[in-house]
Amino acid sequence: MTRTKVVYLGGAGRSGTTFVSLLLSQNHDCFDIGQIRDLPDGIAKKHVCSCGKPLVTCDFWGEVAARLVAGYGIHALSRFKEGLEAFSKGAELIGDWSVRPDLAALAADHAAFLDLTAGLYRICREVAGTRALIDSSKTPGLGLALALAGEVDLYMLNLVRDPRAVCASWSKLNKNPAKLEGHQRAWNRRLARMGQFEALMPDAFRRIRYEDFATSPLPMVQAIQSWAGLEENTGFFTAPNAANVSWDRTHLFPPVNEEVLKHKADHITIRPSESWKAPANRPYVELAERVNFPQAETVGYSLLAGAETP
């Protein structure tokens, strides 16, 4: 049986996963499925795909949904959503995800969900007609499900971004302090869980900082392609930090980065973002420094590289 290769972008939101997934989907052996964890809600809410069609009539997602129903029943999508919630709750009860006997028990308890998950990704691969799927769902729970599911060859790419930049980015959507603190505490939790993937599957785990990626995107894409056994081709780059991008192998839908979906650019320039250092963002920087340090120092971030003062 043909196995499904999944390059899973794990980590916190607002960390650049949409841009990275878009670049990785430019080669013919890859297909960007965005945040598949949100597919049940996306169809229920009649979201529009980046191809311009509602998900239910999208050439890709419509066919995926139809095949899933044919193979797993009319309630397959709702079972996937409910199963993921239950699996993630069970996973959170395990302190260390690198302890294999605990994972074996978790897999046994959620065998039907894991079978459905493997089937969903297999159907995506078959409809896409490609070798590898790029999934930017980010959540550790779904990543663990893929690690335990049959038929899946998982490559976990942990994309981490300076938490101060993350907090400033979230503030553009919601400035509620409690909400922002919740996002930043999630940054800590996801960093810790991603470290456990490194212990669980060291050869198929890679961590990169978004700042490093944005500084040298072309060699970073080359390195990821080599690591994950993808087609090694960066001919779509027009300069070391610029690329022409096709959306032919990309089907994204909300809540994927709203700016990317809005502009749907066919040429992108990648550069480090320094806007979070502006004086206006000082409250969000201070929040992140209070919540995320010293954890952030373990992946190379420093309080000395702080925001500008007024």
Side-chain angles (χ1 to χ4, degrees):
M1 178 180 292
T2 302
R3 296 175 63 83
T4 302
K5 177 177 288 190
V6 179
V7 179
Y8 190 88
L9 276 62
R14 318 306 289 187
S15 295
T17 54
T18 302
F19 271 124
V20 174
S21 68
L22 183 60
L23 289 170
L24 291 178
S25 69
Q26 294 309 300
N27 289 345
H28 289 84
D29 68 337
C30 296
F31 196 93
D32 187 357
I33 58 173
Q35 297 179 180
I36 200 172
R37 65 181 170 88
D38 295 308
L39 181 61
D41 285 345
I43 289 180
K45 295 177 181 179
K46 300 180 179 179
H47 282 321
V48 175
C49 178
S50 57
C51 71
K53 297 180 180 179
L55 292 178
V56 291
T57 58
C58 165
D59 293 343
F60 177 73
W61 289 119
E63 180 66 15
V64 167
R67 293 193 190 188
L68 190 68
V69 168
Y72 293 89
I74 194 169
H75 299 297
L77 278 173
S78 59
R79 285 171 43 221
F80 173 71
K81 177 181 177 180
E82 294 163 3
L84 178 57
E85 291 173 353
F87 176 87
S88 297
K89 287 180 181 178
E92 282 304 309
L93 298 177
I94 300 175
D96 186 349
W97 287 357
S98 65
V99 179
R100 293 189 179 275
D102 290 345
L103 294 186
L106 178 69
D109 289 343
H110 297 272
F113 163 70
L114 294 177
D115 178 68
L116 175 60
T117 298
L120 173 58
Y121 282 79
R122 181 187 70 250
I123 291 169
C124 286
R125 172 180 54 79
E126 291 171 348
V127 176
T130 190
R131 288 198 311 121
L133 302 175
I134 312 299
D135 184 343
S136 55
S137 289
K138 292 183 283 296
T139 57
L142 181 52
L144 183 62
L146 291 172
L148 299 179
E151 305 177 34
V152 174
D153 290 331
L154 175 66
Y155 287 79
M156 177 61 73
L157 181 62
N158 177 204
L159 187 62
V160 60
R161 185 184 183 191
D162 192 311
R164 294 165 295 191
V166 169
C167 193
S169 182
W170 277 121
S171 74
K172 298 174 183 177
L173 300 180
N174 191 322
K175 299 185 185 300
N176 181 285
K179 276 274 191 183
L180 291 174
E181 182 162 338
H183 288 307
Q184 298 312 116
R185 295 199 180 280
W187 190 97
N188 288 343
R189 292 193 299 272
R190 292 190 181 187
L191 181 66
R193 283 302 192 190
M194 286 297 136
Q196 294 174 2
F197 278 103
E198 185 173 16
L200 177 65
M201 37 188 281
D203 293 335
F205 176 90
R206 187 181 184 98
R207 173 179 288 134
I208 61 173
R209 300 193 315 170
Y210 179 72
E211 293 79 9
D212 298 331
F213 182 91
T215 299
S216 304
L218 192 157
M220 280 288 187
V221 168
Q222 289 176 322
I224 294 168
Q225 290 172 344
S226 176
W227 161 72
L230 305 175
E231 176 189 355
E232 295 187 42
N233 176 21
T234 53
F236 54 92
F237 275 86
T238 59
N241 69 331
N244 290 327
V245 294
S246 165
W247 288 73
D248 291 345
R249 291 176 293 280
T250 297
H251 282 265
L252 307 182
F253 54 91
V256 164
N257 188 290
E258 66 284 347
E259 287 298 312
V260 176
L261 288 179
K262 177 182 177 181
H263 297 292
K264 200 180 168 187
D266 55 14
H267 182 81
I268 59 175
T269 300
I270 308 100
R271 59 173 65 90
S273 174
E274 300 292 324
S275 60
W276 65 270
K277 296 183 178 181
N281 287 323
R282 189 64 206 174
Y284 313 119
V285 169
E286 291 176 347
L287 189 159
E289 290 179 343
R290 172 172 59 84
V291 173
N292 300 116
F293 284 79
Q295 291 94 327
E297 293 176 338
T298 65
V299 286
Y301 296 111
S302 170
L303 287 173
L304 296 179
E308 300 171 7
T309 55

